[in-house]
Amino acid sequence: MKKLFALALSVALALCAVAVCETAQPETRETLVSIEGTEETIGETRFVSQSGYSLWYPADMFTCEEADGQARFVPVDGVEAMADVGMIVVPVDVAVEDADSLLGEATANYGAEAAVGEVVEWTNESGASVRSVEVAQEQRVDRFYLVTGGDSVFCVTATYLPEMTEGFGARMETMVRTMEIAAADEGAQSGATNIVEGDFTGFADDTTVEVLVEDGYKSYKVFDEAVKAYLESID
């Protein structure tokens, strides 16, 4: 078996500036929310994005996929799954002071039949600044959120049917309210805490490595090709 040394792996991660994400049991919690005028306790799962933010979402209602920095939350099978319902979170490479125009750009191409609401400014649970606007059409509602914190800007689009405003619409806004933007150096610090020492047994698939440690096998996600090449070169 190939020996995986903590020090060597730490150097590789520092040079490649990536994180190794452990596929452990996701963090969960219970939260009291108001749904269609009734207070309910729901279970939530914490999603941590590679783009530098986290949020809480109801995993019994939504599935989450992330690719190329874009996260998509769509209804799970059996929970009114349909193409016109879901939420997308996208990081935007623009200075915070120049981000105000993004909401105007998002609503500019709607026809005269669409009702564009007023821009609402608020602060979410983590202290991130949020500006939101709703565009209502006969068959669907698009709600745009501009979430900023530190030097980071994220655009969030929530789409649902008009009759779902108090259901899916409210749930997705609750997700935005829990969105927390990581500090600039948090990724590097968290990467250091994930370094382990054990026997590197190989790759389970294209992005998952397996390590034998004292309490058994653990799996880790590796997203950087340079780190993958480094691990494969260890004798």
Side-chain angles (χ1 to χ4, degrees):
M1 291 188 292
K2 302 175 184 178
K3 191 67 175 178
L4 177 64
F5 291 102
L7 178 60
L9 181 56
S10 178
V11 171
L13 294 179
L15 291 175
C16 298
V18 299
V20 178
C21 305
E22 184 176 356
T23 55
Q25 187 71 20
E27 188 177 352
T28 61
R29 70 180 186 183
E30 289 189 343
T31 304
L32 184 66
V33 297
S34 178
I35 302 173
E36 298 182 349
T38 303
E39 288 193 339
E40 295 183 18
T41 299
I42 65 169
E44 293 181 319
T45 298
R46 186 169 183 251
F47 167 70
V48 181
S49 170
Q50 302 169 34
S51 297
Y53 69 90
S54 64
L55 60 78
W56 293 86
Y57 72 101
D60 63 329
M61 290 185 65
F62 295 95
T63 60
C64 176
E65 296 180 354
E66 184 174 38
D68 299 325
Q70 177 176 290
R72 296 177 60 88
F73 298 85
V74 297
V76 300
D77 291 340
V79 188
E80 303 182 57
M82 55 194 70
D84 286 337
V85 179
M87 190 175 91
I88 301 174
V89 184
V90 181
V92 183
D93 187 15
V94 64
V96 172
E97 58 270 22
D98 298 329
D100 287 349
S101 63
L102 295 176
L103 288 180
E105 294 173 9
T107 60
N109 295 323
Y110 287 88
E113 71 281 359
V116 180
E118 297 292 328
V119 174
V120 179
E121 299 185 22
W122 44 283
T123 302
N124 76 359
E125 295 174 5
S126 70
S129 297
V130 183
R131 303 179 73 238
S132 62
V133 62
E134 180 179 284
V135 181
Q137 304 170 84
E138 183 178 355
Q139 297 297 326
R140 63 185 255 176
V141 177
D142 293 326
R143 186 175 291 171
F144 300 98
Y145 301 87
L146 190 64
V147 185
T148 59
D151 296 327
S152 300
V153 179
F154 295 90
C155 283
V156 182
T157 304
T159 301
Y160 49 91
L161 304 184
E163 62 267 25
M164 296 178 178
T165 299
E166 297 300 321
F168 277 98
R171 290 289 185 97
M172 289 186 279
E173 175 146 314
T174 296
M175 291 159 61
V176 176
R177 290 186 180 277
T178 69
M179 190 170 172
E180 182 174 1
I181 299 174
D185 60 347
E186 187 173 316
Q189 293 175 352
S190 63
T193 62
N194 283 336
I195 303 303
V196 297
E197 184 175 0
D199 291 317
F200 174 44
T201 62
F203 283 82
D205 56 41
D206 288 343
T207 60
T208 306
V209 297
E210 291 186 342
V211 180
L212 177 62
V213 293
E214 291 183 0
D215 55 349
Y217 287 95
K218 287 190 175 182
S219 297
Y220 294 81
K221 287 289 186 181
V222 179
F223 300 99
D224 188 274
E225 294 298 329
V227 174
K228 292 181 189 178
Y230 171 80
L231 294 174
E232 291 171 346
S233 70
I234 299 176
D235 294 326

